[in-house]
Amino acid sequence: MSDIITIHNIPEFSVTPEEHAKRGKNHTKSCSDFVESVKQLGGDYSSFNELNCGAELPDMVPFASNPKWKDLPFGAANTCGNAACSALQTSVVLNFLDNIASDKRVFVDLAPSVLDIIHELTQKGYRSWKLANKPGTMTEPEATLEVIKKHFPDDDEIQKCDDLGKIFEKFGKPEGIGGSVYWLDNVIKLFSFDDSIEIDGQTRIHSVEDLIGRISSGIVVPIRVQNSVYLGEENHGGGHYVTWFRIENGTAVVVDTAMESRCGIYRIPVKQVLDAIVVNPGMAVVWDVEPAVSALGA
């Protein structure tokens, strides 16, 4: 392989209808499998109490509050400081992969800037948004009159409008829906150097047993959590992307790019972090970095 593989090689979010259906089916199965695995514990988390294992914690964590990107737009809605946890999680994961990579460094760049990650994620459609008062998901990086008209070809009021401000006045300003879970699946696949890997099928962990296996082997586990459970604050809504590094005697050690006050390291009971993953069963996302680890460490 002569060309250097970088984050810029990530494919577009949009895929064929067949591929969309396939990855959606894989996503549903991976989430339901993991939820069922947690249920099978029957509330008994004692198997974690004697574990003391995992990856070495990073020297530096890219924080959401960094003024270099904090106030920049994260696609068409919101700012990076408020919404770019998927991009920052990616930086944490790539830093881990860079530390374990062997001679594959010759043809792969595992140290893109955070700004490059944000650019690829938003420009290639992995950041979804909508108008506040109108159903309809969009993924373009900017909310322009042309973009909105394209998505609502049968809406006469929008089609006749020649002013973006009037559309916002009538239907609300853009609001973020979230970073796509398929973004990190594609990152894992890209740095696995294997086109045959199935998005969601082979880039997700399906069981608690496999999660423990990865962490015991020193492999980080990126996860999506529900903030209300993860933070123990009922009124703190929405989802969040973080990376599980270690298990220490019943405690999960998580790298969280939103927690500058804790130097990015959040220690939380294993039960609480698992509950935070599965409380939203349709989004119980636990990624498997092992395909990239195997390819890079070989």
Side-chain angles (χ1 to χ4, degrees):
M1 302 176 72
S2 56
D3 295 335
I4 293 178
I5 298 173
T6 76
I7 198 70
H8 302 297
N9 296 113
I10 289 286
E12 298 282 341
F13 168 77
S14 296
V15 294
T16 65
E18 295 78 15
E19 180 61 25
H20 179 73
K22 183 177 181 180
R23 72 183 182 185
K25 183 178 179 180
N26 286 341
H27 167 80
T28 298
K29 178 170 173 47
S30 67
C31 291
S32 61
D33 284 352
F34 194 81
V35 170
E36 183 59 30
S37 178
V38 173
K39 286 181 179 178
Q40 288 176 4
L41 293 175
D44 180 7
Y45 299 88
S46 59
S47 58
F48 292 92
N49 292 340
E50 303 303 318
L51 295 176
N52 191 349
C53 55
E56 182 180 345
L57 294 172
D59 292 335
M60 298 184 68
V61 175
F63 293 115
S65 57
N66 190 318
K68 190 172 184 178
W69 51 74
K70 176 174 71 77
D71 297 319
L72 294 178
F74 189 53
N78 219 317
T79 64
C80 291
N82 290 327
C85 58
S86 54
L88 299 174
Q89 177 195 56
T90 302
S91 181
V92 171
V93 171
L94 291 180
N95 177 67
F96 163 77
L97 291 174
D98 193 39
N99 287 334
I100 61 94
S102 61
D103 58 349
K104 297 295 190 299
R105 295 172 190 271
V106 173
F107 61 81
V108 64
D109 176 13
L110 294 164
S113 70
V114 169
L115 292 178
D116 277 348
I117 296 172
I118 291 169
H119 179 270
E120 291 301 315
L121 189 157
T122 56
Q123 294 297 311
K124 292 187 175 175
Y126 291 90
R127 166 63 168 165
S128 300
W129 57 280
K130 64 181 286 295
L131 296 177
N133 303 320
K134 188 172 181 64
T137 300
M138 290 166 269
T139 60
E140 285 83 356
E142 293 183 54
T144 66
L145 191 60
E146 292 73 21
V147 163
I148 294 170
K149 284 187 173 185
K150 172 188 167 186
H151 279 273
F152 299 100
D154 299 323
D155 189 308
D156 289 341
E157 191 170 5
I158 285 180
Q159 292 303 315
K160 290 176 182 177
C161 190
D162 59 1
D163 185 276
L164 188 61
K166 290 179 181 177
I167 289 181
F168 291 165
E169 184 178 339
K170 175 69 176 178
F171 299 107
K173 292 184 178 180
E175 60 179 25
I177 296 174
S180 170
V181 293
Y182 299 123
W183 162 258
L184 195 57
D185 292 300
N186 275 289
V187 171
I188 295 167
K189 179 173 180 174
L190 174 66
F191 293 110
S192 300
F193 322 124
D194 185 353
D195 288 339
S196 70
I197 285 179
E198 284 193 5
I199 294 297
D200 292 354
Q202 295 166 270
T203 56
R204 302 280 180 90
I205 289 173
H206 290 241
S207 70
V208 173
E209 181 182 5
D210 285 345
L211 182 150
I212 292 173
R214 298 294 184 264
I215 294 177
S216 296
S217 299
I219 299 174
V220 300
V221 177
I223 56 177
R224 181 197 180 277
V225 293
Q226 201 72 16
N227 275 319
S228 57
V229 178
Y230 173 70
L231 299 174
E233 298 174 6
E234 200 171 303
N235 295 325
H236 199 133
H240 186 40
Y241 296 114
V242 297
T243 309
W244 192 341
F245 267 67
R246 300 184 56 78
I247 299 170
E248 296 178 353
N249 308 118
T251 297
V253 184
V254 176
V255 172
D256 187 333
T257 59
M259 290 193 174
E260 188 171 8
S261 63
R262 297 174 182 260
C263 299
I265 309 302
Y266 185 35
R267 287 179 162 82
I268 175 175
V270 164
K271 178 186 185 304
Q272 187 174 343
V273 74
L274 288 176
D275 286 349
I277 294 170
V278 303
V279 67
N280 184 344
M283 291 293 287
V285 181
V286 183
W287 284 279
D288 193 355
V289 182
E290 196 278 334
V293 170
S294 292
L296 289 162

